[in-house]
Amino acid sequence: MTMIYGRSIGRALPRLGALRAVLSCSRFGNDIRYFSITAQRHASSDVKLDLPALDQKWRQKWTALQKTKSADGAQKKYVLPMFPYPSGYLHLGHLRVYTIADVVARFHSLQGHDVLMPMGWDAFGLPAENAAIERGINPATWTKSNIAKMKEQLDIMNGSWDWSRELATCDPSFYKHTQKIFLLLHEQGLAYQDEAEVNYDPVDKTVLANEQVDANGCSWRSGAKVEKRKLKQWFLRISEFRDSLLEDLEVLGKDGAWPERVLAMQRNWLGKSTGATIKFPLMAFEHVTHSAIEVFTSRPDTLFGVQYLALASTHPVVAQLAAKDPELQAFLDTLPGLPPTPKSDTRSHQEVHPYLCSPYVLGDYGEGAVMGVPAHDVRDHSFWKTHHKDEPVRFVLAASEDESTTALANEPFIDYGVMTAHSGLFKGRSSKEAGEMLVKILEEADLAKPVEKWRLRDWLVSRQRYWGTPIPIIHCDSCGAVPVPDDQLPVELPKVDEHWAGKKTGNPLETLDDWVNTPCPTCHGPAKRDTDTMDTFVDSSWYFARFIDPHNTEVPFSAEKAKNMLPVDLYIGGIEHAILHLLYSRFIYKFLVSSSLVGETEGVQEPFKRLITQGMVHGKTYTDPATGKFLKPDEVDLSDPTKPKVVRTGEVAIVSYEKMSKSKYNGVDPTDVINLHGADATRAHMLFQAPVSEVLDWDGEKIVGVTRWLGRVWDLVQRVSSTPLASQTAPRKYFEKEAERLGEMTEDELGQWDKAARVWREVQRTVGSVTGSYEKVYALNTVVSDLMILTNAIVEEEKGLPEEVRREAVEALVKMMAPITPAFAEECWAVLHPDEKETSIFKSEKGRFPVVDGTVESLLQPRKQTCAVQVNGRLKFATEIAVVPEGLGEDEKREWVVGQVMKTEEGRNKLKGVDVGKAKKVVVVKGGKLVNFVM
């Protein structure tokens, strides 16, 4: 038989004999008729389509095929998905991003580009250290084991990864160069040490990022109350690049190269604002104390509306007051355990203004002080209403001069406007103008200064952990911080098996005297290694550049390869990395290309020309309507998939799509899906279900629709390959030749021309649409739907279709499918081109992606069109008439269309009793596609 469609529902149908059991299963409902028809139609054929078997066959062939040298002058394309953390398994989110990347890479390959798509592992980090402590094993052992598992999973996706460039950030051959980059930064004064307040876990003895502290101020790992400590830490001076990081976002925004949402998040994180620093003099007992609190504001026009000042807990004034006020000190002691919200601001002091100590004021941003303007700031308004709800809010700005459109008193007015009576002499002035005047007046009194502020802080990269890149610095009492000499790199992580076997916490590097104590490279006196390791974002900030030269032992990458292969043409990954990873990568890339590594460069330097962010994958979730609890698979009766029932009660379960998680019992292992349906069907289904940027609600049961389509294409290929081709005439040549005798053709010959033209017009439309969708990437779902439509068009018109057109149409279809269903397309290509069985469609000159050939505009304008016929505005029927000739006047066009309609059988029969010659008016629109007789 030609195809067992049972493959689409599982591997339990290797032979037709199994079909009877399938047809007796009620869960397939309306599909029964389809399966039985298919079985009858192909009962005589011996060729079987087995998608999982094709995957294995072609993966072996791809491995055997040596990478051929690119054609001279081939355009280079660097396509890169964000590399995964080796957790031990791939989920459907991984499957989606890597499918998208591979499809785009294969598309460019078919266009003749020299495509680079490498793969590696973001292998350092706290999860591996957690696993090592939990299991009592070395984190390297756990990580390498996971890499092996995930590599197997990646391989069965039919991806075209260049494994010759594989890297893992935990490999000394990689982090040697991370250390070199750190030392380059240090040499330029861009890596430095300074004291910083950090989140410190006293149990695990490690610094935590803000994201690793929960709302109750506890460590996500140990559960201990996090302490705020001042520690000497390593920073990278990203602030030196802040102007170019901000300005170059404009370049990335051109032609939608980067999503606007990502650009907005980056701008907000950089947080450039212009305004003024305002001094609020302190007074005691009505006397000036010759000291002041400085506050930065971007809205000096709201100064008359200041009703309080909020100070960071680390502000010097707060420290002075706390020394004399036990109650304030007690409040400060509670801050580490409080969530950072305005509701915890419960302490006030009266001077000229009420001064408040507030955890929502950051000590390292601005001046560590915020002026509170409840009438014109949302957060200040919320704070004031919480703590001073009985005191009025002072509005100093209004939307109009008569204040008639001002916001209600229970809502802040946050726009620029007109100054109110509360602004004294400035009443009635534009608030922007008044703000500028206020700053000038205060500047003359040395109470204000125009300034520029940034939210961006320098990048703190120190981590008091083991599983990361060691910081290559030696500390000497005489010489200070001394870089490790180049010939001593990498500084490798020492083995500490006893530490892991004992399931100990903390950083074992601090306790290894033999490793820590080392001679100073400069004076050769006693010194100590730095025991901190680097934030894993440092590794991922440059890994994409290592891929271009992964085996270079001397430098991170050569200048020549950087100039030829960077930046990345297309970078694909989740929106969750929109800020930190991308910002740090932009910073490091800008530094690297301006360093001695690369030398002189021109233009804007950005690591990723184009960024694609894909949506998440959600899984089907069943909930008990009575309890609201998520149901396990064995707690749901799916005998009728349209009405899933709670086994315990018989009630219909609530179905929803949620982010996949173990607690919701809705996780799907992509390996199981691929083993069941084949990688190609899974890939096509994954793309077909939703646009790339949107959330995908995964429903594995619908894959049957994709496998049906693949079956139709397979049958088509079999029929075409079984018919010998009389000539190798290209469709354009065929149509050019036939067009010369159009005026002499019989009706049958004209019918054949129309049939061939319809199919080839659809091929050309599809080529244009699909090419555009592959290039846009976000519209990959429409590629599958376009190819399904083309398949139907070829099948419907197949009988009597000229062989030249039929074969070329099918070959074009296979080529356009190849990026999405590579193994299936390879098999189809091998059937169509038995002389090329030992090669690949991706390596064949004949397999190049099709291009629009111009025949539609020059040769294949339709001879006929459908005309809808109305009488008094009501549709009577539709019929096919000839296309209206060009150059006719309006009266001639009406007469011509009416004549064509009355020549048809439908016109003669369905307009009986209607004397169209006596119509008051005949309206022809859309070039003859509609005619309306007004009687």
Side-chain angles (χ1 to χ4, degrees), residues 409-446:
N410 61 348
E411 292 290 337
F413 177 72
I414 60 175
D415 295 326
Y416 288 98
V418 178
M419 308 297 282
T420 70
H422 285 297
S423 301
L425 296 175
F426 294 94
K427 179 186 176 184
R429 286 187 179 274
S430 155
S431 64
K432 284 190 176 181
E433 178 189 0
E436 293 171 2
M437 293 175 66
L438 271 167
V439 172
K440 288 180 181 177
I441 293 170
L442 291 172
E443 190 176 7
E444 291 177 1
D446 195 29

Side-chain angles (χ1 to χ4, degrees), residues 280-281 303 306-309 349-355 394:
F280 288 82
L303 271 171
V306 175
Q307 293 185 263
Y308 69 89
L309 294 184
H349 286 270
Q350 296 288 337
E351 301 290 346
V352 174
H353 294 280
Y355 294 102
R394 187 189 312 137

Side-chain angles (χ1 to χ4, degrees), residues 399-680:
S400 62
E401 195 167 347
D402 63 4
E403 305 180 25
S404 61
T405 56
T406 301
L408 298 175
N410 61 348
E411 292 290 337
F413 177 72
I414 60 175
D415 295 326
Y416 288 98
V418 178
M419 308 297 282
T420 70
H422 285 297
S423 301
L425 296 175
F426 294 94
K427 179 186 176 184
R429 286 187 179 274
S430 155
S431 64
K432 284 190 176 181
E433 178 189 0
E436 293 171 2
M437 293 175 66
L438 271 167
V439 172
K440 288 180 181 177
I441 293 170
L442 291 172
E443 190 176 7
E444 291 177 1
D446 195 29
L447 291 173
K449 182 181 179 182
V451 295
E452 178 182 280
K453 290 288 182 182
W454 295 75
R455 182 178 183 269
L456 178 70
R457 306 292 87 184
D458 278 343
W459 178 8
L460 193 162
V461 297
S462 293
R463 295 293 181 268
Q464 288 68 46
R465 300 176 190 133
Y466 170 84
W467 194 236
T469 298
I471 291 177
I473 294 290
I474 293 172
H475 298 277
C476 174
D477 290 340
S478 301
C479 306
V482 181
V484 172
D486 190 75
D487 61 1
Q488 294 180 25
L489 295 178
V491 177
E492 292 195 37
L493 288 169
K495 291 186 178 180
V496 287
D497 292 340
E498 291 182 4
H499 180 86
W500 309 118
K503 299 187 177 182
K504 298 176 184 177
T505 58
N507 181 5
L509 298 179
E510 296 173 353
T511 65
L512 299 177
D513 291 340
D514 290 344
W515 184 81
V516 171
N517 295 315
T518 189
C520 171
T522 302
C523 70
H524 306 294
K528 293 181 180 295
R529 294 189 188 279
D530 200 303
T531 58
D532 284 353
T533 56
M534 296 184 212
D535 179 4
T536 56
F537 276 123
V538 179
D539 304 307
S540 61
S541 71
W542 79 280
Y543 80 104
F544 55 89
R546 181 63 177 172
F547 276 133
I548 68 170
D549 199 7
H551 307 299
N552 193 324
T553 59
E554 300 302 317
V555 291
F557 50 86
S558 75
E560 182 184 358
K561 289 190 176 180
K563 290 173 181 176
N564 290 337
M565 302 177 71
L566 291 175
V568 175
D569 291 289
L570 189 67
Y571 196 41
I572 306 166
I575 193 75
E576 65 272 19
H577 300 297
I579 298 178
L580 295 183
H581 165 59
L582 291 173
L583 189 67
Y584 294 152
S585 297
R586 295 178 63 217
F587 158 52
I588 292 296
Y589 185 76
K590 287 175 182 293
F591 165 72
L592 289 174
V593 297
S594 64
S595 72
S596 57
L597 271 176
V598 177
E600 292 294 323
T601 52
E602 297 179 359
V604 172
Q605 301 302 332
E606 286 289 336
F608 312 116
K609 285 184 183 178
R610 191 171 173 214
L611 175 70
I612 299 295
T613 54
Q614 87 284 354
M616 297 181 67
V617 181
H618 287 182
K620 187 181 285 189
T621 309
Y622 300 99
T623 309
D624 188 332
T627 64
K629 291 183 178 181
F630 296 113
L631 298 170
K632 299 176 183 178
D634 60 358
E635 295 175 331
V636 186
D637 177 4
L638 294 175
S639 55
D640 180 356
T642 62
K643 290 184 180 179
K645 294 180 181 178
V646 182
V647 172
R648 183 176 57 85
T649 63
E651 289 188 68
V652 176
I654 298 171
V655 180
S656 62
Y657 285 88
E658 311 276 350
K659 181 179 178 181
M660 290 187 179
S661 71
K662 292 180 181 178
S663 62
K664 296 172 184 173
Y665 312 108
N666 65 342
V668 176
D669 186 339
T671 306
D672 292 342
V673 180
I674 289 172
N675 287 338
L676 195 63
H677 303 290
D680 284 356

Side-chain angles (χ1 to χ4, degrees), residues 146-296:
N146 289 344
I147 287 174
K149 293 176 192 172
M150 292 175 72
K151 190 172 180 180
E152 288 179 7
Q153 289 181 298
L154 277 172
D155 278 336
I156 69 168
M157 287 172 54
N158 287 354
S160 53
W161 326 115
D162 183 353
W163 287 114
S164 71
R165 298 174 184 268
E166 182 183 9
L167 60 81
T169 58
C170 67
D171 191 318
S173 66
F174 177 87
Y175 69 70
K176 167 186 178 178
H177 298 290
T178 303
Q179 292 171 343
K180 286 196 172 195
I181 291 170
F182 180 91
L183 293 178
L184 274 174
L185 288 157
H186 186 265
E187 181 184 314
Q188 298 296 318
L190 297 174
Y192 67 95
Q193 272 188 302
D194 197 5
E195 278 205 341
E197 188 176 70
V198 296
N199 302 311
Y200 189 79
D201 185 327
V203 174
D204 284 350
K205 300 176 183 176
T206 184
V207 169
L208 301 174
N210 289 333
E211 295 80 7
Q212 294 168 339
V213 182
D214 67 22
N216 297 315
C218 296
S219 167
W220 72 310
R221 184 164 99 166
S222 69
K225 278 285 183 183
V226 170
E227 301 173 0
K228 292 288 185 181
R229 287 193 182 182
K230 281 267 189 179
L231 294 176
K232 202 168 187 181
Q233 302 283 281
W234 281 99
F235 292 85
L236 299 184
R237 211 180 296 273
I238 189 175
S239 57
E240 286 290 311
F241 290 76
R242 64 193 183 189
D243 287 304
S244 64
L245 287 169
L246 179 61
E247 291 164 6
D248 292 349
L249 291 176
E250 295 301 317
V251 176
L252 297 176
K254 288 181 180 177
D255 301 320
W258 279 41
E260 181 53 42
R261 180 182 172 192
V262 174
L263 298 175
M265 293 166 78
Q266 293 248 323
R267 286 191 193 98
N268 292 338
W269 192 263
L270 291 164
K272 180 182 180 180
S273 55
T274 55
T277 299
I278 310 294
K279 290 182 181 179
F280 288 82
L282 285 173
M283 300 180 70
F285 304 107
E286 299 182 0
H287 294 284
V288 176
T289 63
H290 302 291
S291 62
I293 292 177
E294 291 191 354
V295 176
F296 170 77

